[in-house]
Amino acid sequence: MRRNIVAGNWKMNLSFELADDLVNDIAEKLDSVELNADVVICPPFPYLELTSDLAQESNFFAGAQNVASFDNGAYTGEVSSKMLASMNVDYCIVGHSERRKYFNETNQEIATKITKLLKDDIKPIFCLGEVLEERESGKHFDVVQKQLEESLFNLTSQEILNVVIAYEPVWAIGTGKTATSLQAQEMHAFIRSLLDKKYGNEVAEEISILYGGSCNAKNAKELFANKDVDGGLIGGASLKAEDFLAIIKSF
Ligand code: PEP
């Protein structure tokens, strides 16, 4: 049975003190909730120890927002998958549209990062999705297919079972413009059909596909009710414990 997952992406937000308050608040609230989803918290790198330590004794998993595509050595400012593993990080976001846009990450580089994470037993949360022009010109399925094939389809069946996919239409990220339930389900079903063609039905049915893009306490229930939507990657709404909890409780 595939897992429901709600992952919070804090991006480049919060001071250490606010991050400390937020993660403790979430952990405390999670204690009194009957969870129907795995919860992942992805803070900025300097706060990883804070979240990964607390994750050991709480009902959430530690995640990171990025990883280097190199193993180790003279790569100033980078953080390797081995470093993340040594800090008990369970998940890592890769291929977020902000990294593709501002740091020119390519599908090939993302594929390298995914391979490194899997070698170190960290589950990649692989993001893909089209920009507005691509949707408006009807190219969204082709774009998503290319991203999927170029970043994931070098993996074996065994490897891909440890990958989480997050469909994030770029026009919906941080804009308050959520994809409709129909648009989300349609793309998730398409992604699953491509996984089915490549890896077979049994594997395709096991892979969690999350939706991301202005998902909030109000729209999460409807989005998560779709057959192929297995949770959410949450940006803005993960920065408030109550909102994040409300999303988690939408399952
Ligand atoms: C994200 O950053 O992955 C995201 C979905 O952001 P937001 O929820 O703020 O749109």
Side-chain angles (χ1 to χ4, degrees):
M1 259 288 272
R2 63 182 183 251
R3 316 280 308 170
N4 293 327
I5 299 171
V6 178
N9 174 13
W10 290 1
K11 310 195 188 189
M12 196 173 72
N13 289 299
L14 306 173
S15 64
F16 181 79
E17 202 182 350
L18 289 176
D20 193 4
D21 288 348
L22 178 58
V23 73
N24 277 285
D25 197 4
I26 293 171
E28 206 181 298
K29 286 184 165 65
L30 284 175
D31 266 350
S32 52
V33 169
E34 204 189 305
L35 283 176
N36 293 313
D38 293 341
V39 177
V40 184
I41 298 179
C42 307
F45 283 140
Y47 310 154
L48 266 183
E49 192 174 358
L50 183 72
T51 51
S52 64
D53 278 358
L54 192 59
Q56 303 301 310
E57 55 192 60
S58 309
N59 285 332
F60 71 88
F61 293 93
Q65 297 176 18
N66 184 32
V67 66
S69 49
F70 306 99
D71 284 332
N72 69 294
Y75 300 101
T76 304
E78 290 291 288
V79 174
S80 73
S81 60
K82 288 216 170 358
M83 292 174 181
L84 297 180
S86 73
M87 298 187 75
N88 299 312
V89 166
D90 305 292
Y91 289 85
C92 181
I93 298 170
V94 267
H96 193 281
S97 61
E98 287 151 17
R99 296 218 51 94
R100 292 176 191 262
K101 181 175 173 189
Y102 300 120
F103 303 95
N104 304 314
E105 281 192 10
T106 61
N107 291 338
Q108 287 68 28
E109 189 180 355
I110 294 161
T112 304
K113 292 182 175 199
I114 289 171
T115 305
K116 297 212 179 296
L117 289 168
L118 289 171
K119 269 205 187 115
D120 288 314
D121 288 327
I122 296 171
K123 294 185 172 68
I125 301 177
F126 166 62
C127 304
L128 78 182
E130 79 285 357
V131 299
L132 188 60
E133 287 154 32
E134 290 162 343
R135 177 159 283 266
E136 286 178 344
S137 57
K139 292 193 191 120
H140 45 300
F141 290 113
D142 291 345
V143 169
V144 164
Q145 178 163 2
K146 189 167 156 57
Q147 290 171 333
L148 193 74
E149 289 179 349
E150 292 188 355
S151 294
L152 283 194
F153 280 11
N154 61 319
L155 300 175
T156 65
S157 305
Q158 212 41 50
E159 287 168 333
I160 202 162
L161 283 169
N162 288 310
V163 175
V164 175
I165 296 173
Y167 169 57
E168 300 206 301
V170 181
W171 46 270
I173 298 178
T175 58
K177 207 173 173 188
T178 320
T180 63
S181 187
L182 210 71
Q183 286 171 323
Q185 168 57 25
E186 183 183 44
M187 185 58 87
H188 284 227
F190 174 68
I191 293 170
R192 205 177 303 284
S193 75
L194 296 174
L195 293 168
D196 185 337
K197 264 190 221 143
K198 170 80 179 167
Y199 295 100
N201 186 256
E202 219 174 297
V203 171
E205 285 299 323
E206 280 299 308
I207 297 176
S208 301
I209 308 177
L210 316 185
Y211 168 79
S214 298
C215 182
N216 58 40
K218 288 203 183 103
N219 57 32
K221 209 177 183 72
E222 189 186 340
L223 285 161
F224 296 174
N226 286 296
K227 178 174 161 286
D228 290 294
V229 179
D230 308 307
L233 178 56
I234 318 296
S238 71
L239 293 169
K240 285 199 182 128
E242 265 167 37
D243 291 354
F244 192 48
L245 260 288
I247 294 171
I248 293 163
K249 286 197 245 171
S250 302
F251 274 112

